[in-house]
């Protein structure tokens, strides 16, 4: 029998389960599938907490919401922070360590996100001209996850699968997101596919997707600071992009995180 200790976090509705029991990477998918079976949690993703300041997602993808939630837990439980602090964490899907501002009294977090590997107008990507769907948007590669931000396009499962198949065939990234973004009202519907665990979710919110939207919205604008309050199905995330010398220089996302109690699963 396997005994797994875990707890649930809620960063803007993007429900995540963190496993604290040491688990080999080869067993991530199996353990994650067992936890996804606990429908009462309504979990959208699973992460595994390692030694020190390291956290890995079940598909070894990158997740901004999980990263900032882990940073808050790490500050509280491993550093004993009481109040405001700046912590550094290491997470899957990001080659660089991430800096996170936390406040353990009100459970607020602000994380500096990884910089995009590439930013392309969707219509400039090879092969897009041959697609039957003619949506405008921006394709942003973060290395650990690839996001397609589509402007003013209705979010449907069929439309997501159509674009996701193209992204899988063309890029084979660890995870793909299609961000259906209503620019006028700042409403975002994020849908994310993770390859290794073969999951697709209409997410309550998406941290890296919010980052991608901020980048896409600020892309091509004059130097300055551009903040966006992105309203998503289960919560809002504030995403801020900085442009210096006509390039994206930094991106942050911020918001509150709820951390649940430790629980045990045996199987």
């Amino acid at each position: 029998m396997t005994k797994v200790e875990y707890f649930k976090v809620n960063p803007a509705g993007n429900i995540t389960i963190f496993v604290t029991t040491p688990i080999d990477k080869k067993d991530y998918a199996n353990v994650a599938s067992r936890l996804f079976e606990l429908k009462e949690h309504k979990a959208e993703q699973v992460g595994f907490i390692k030694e020190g300041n390291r956290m890995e997602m079940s598909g070894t993808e990158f997740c901004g919401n999980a990263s900032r939630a882990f940073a808050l837990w790490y500050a509280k439980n491993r550093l004993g922070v009481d109040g405001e602090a700046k912590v550094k964490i290491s997470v899957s899907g990001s080659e660089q360590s991430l800096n996170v501002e936390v406040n353990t009294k009100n459970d607020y977090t602000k994380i500096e996100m990884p910089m995009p590997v590439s930013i392309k107008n969707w219509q400039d990507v090879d092969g897009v001209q041959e697609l039957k769907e003619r949506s405008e948007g921006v394709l942003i590669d973060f290395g650990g996850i690839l996001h397609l931000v589509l402007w003013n396009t209705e979010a449907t499962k069929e439309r997501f699968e159509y674009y996701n198949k193209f992204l899988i065939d063309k890029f084979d990234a660890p995870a793909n997101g299609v961000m259906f973004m209503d620019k006028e009202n700042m409403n975002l519907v994020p849908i994310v596919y993770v390859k290794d665990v073969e999951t697709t979710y209409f997410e309550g919110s998406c941290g890296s997707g919010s980052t991608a939207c901020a980048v896409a919205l600020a892309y091509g604008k004059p130097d300055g600071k551009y903040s966006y309050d992105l309203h998503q199905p289960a919560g809002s995330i504030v995403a801020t992009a900085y442009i210096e010398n006509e390039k994206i220089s930094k991106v942050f996302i911020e918001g509150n995180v709820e951390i649940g109690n430790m629980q045990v699963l045996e199987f």
Side-chain angles (χ1 to χ4, degrees), residues 118-129:
S118 67
I119 307 170
K120 294 181 180 179
N121 286 315
W122 179 234
Q123 293 300 322
D124 294 335
V125 175
D126 289 342
V128 168
Q129 299 82 359

Side-chain angles (χ1 to χ4, degrees), residues 236-250:
S236 294
I237 294 176
V238 175
T240 303
Y242 291 81
I243 298 181
E244 299 176 7
N245 300 318
E246 301 181 348
K247 294 182 179 180
I248 303 290
S249 60
K250 292 181 291 188

Side-chain angles (χ1 to χ4, degrees):
M1 179 172 290
T2 300
K3 181 178 179 180
V4 173
E5 294 187 336
Y6 71 94
F7 62 97
K8 183 175 73 172
V9 297
N10 180 0
N14 189 198
I15 306 300
T16 304
I17 289 176
F18 282 135
V19 175
T20 57
T21 302
I23 302 292
D24 288 338
K25 189 173 295 187
K26 63 180 176 59
D27 296 321
Y28 282 2
N30 179 47
V31 173
S33 67
R34 298 282 186 168
L35 290 165
F36 283 134
E37 290 173 0
L38 304 177
K39 299 301 183 184
E40 67 270 22
H41 294 318
K42 300 179 180 178
E44 299 177 349
Q45 54 196 6
V46 174
F48 295 85
I49 294 177
K50 316 299 283 187
E51 293 183 356
N53 68 342
R54 177 73 177 172
M55 184 274 294
E56 297 177 353
M57 300 302 292
S58 59
T60 65
E61 77 278 14
F62 173 74
C63 177
N65 272 335
S67 296
R68 66 189 183 92
F70 167 65
L72 181 64
W73 179 89
Y74 170 69
K76 282 186 171 185
N77 292 275
R78 290 191 172 165
L79 299 181
V81 172
D82 183 21
E84 296 181 358
K86 293 182 179 180
V87 300
K88 189 180 290 289
I89 59 171
S90 170
V91 299
S92 61
S94 175
E95 294 183 359
Q96 65 202 64
S97 295
L98 302 179
N99 298 307
V100 191
E101 298 175 25
V102 302
N103 187 329
T104 63
K105 290 188 180 297
N106 62 9
D107 293 339
Y108 199 81
T109 65
K110 180 179 180 180
I111 182 171
E112 182 174 359
M113 297 290 279
M115 292 298 295
V117 176
S118 67
I119 307 170
K120 294 181 180 179
N121 286 315
W122 179 234
Q123 293 300 322
D124 294 335
V125 175
D126 289 342
V128 168
Q129 299 82 359
E130 301 170 11
L131 294 176
K132 294 180 181 178
E133 286 271 353
R134 292 287 179 171
S135 297
E136 294 185 355
V138 182
L139 184 67
I140 302 170
D141 185 4
F142 290 99
I145 190 167
L146 183 70
H147 280 300
L148 170 58
V149 180
L150 293 179
W151 305 130
N152 304 321
T153 302
E154 183 184 2
T156 66
K157 185 174 185 291
E158 293 75 20
R159 187 167 282 123
F160 170 79
E161 290 176 347
Y162 179 82
Y163 285 113
N164 188 47
K165 183 180 185 306
F166 177 87
L167 296 175
I168 290 172
D169 293 343
K170 185 77 175 178
F171 300 102
D172 194 31
N176 297 324
V178 180
M179 303 293 108
F180 294 90
M181 182 71 208
D182 174 355
K183 285 197 287 187
E184 182 178 350
N185 299 301
M186 288 292 123
N187 291 330
L188 168 62
V189 178
I191 309 179
V192 176
Y193 163 83
V194 180
K195 181 176 68 173
D196 281 359
V197 288
E198 295 186 350
T199 58
T200 297
Y201 280 99
F202 278 70
E203 296 196 334
S205 73
C206 182
S208 60
S210 298
T211 304
C213 288
V215 169
L217 288 162
Y219 186 51
K221 290 188 175 181
D223 286 8
K225 174 185 175 181
Y226 298 90
S227 288
Y228 306 96
D229 188 358
L230 302 172
H231 312 297
Q232 301 173 54
S236 294
I237 294 176
V238 175
T240 303
Y242 291 81
I243 298 181
E244 299 176 7
N245 300 318
E246 301 181 348
K247 294 182 179 180
I248 303 290
S249 60
K250 292 181 291 188
V251 190
F252 295 85
I253 62 170
E254 56 190 293
N256 288 92
V257 176
E258 298 175 13
I259 298 179
N261 296 322
M262 195 69 68
Q263 301 184 57
V264 175
L265 171 67
E266 295 182 350
F267 59 90

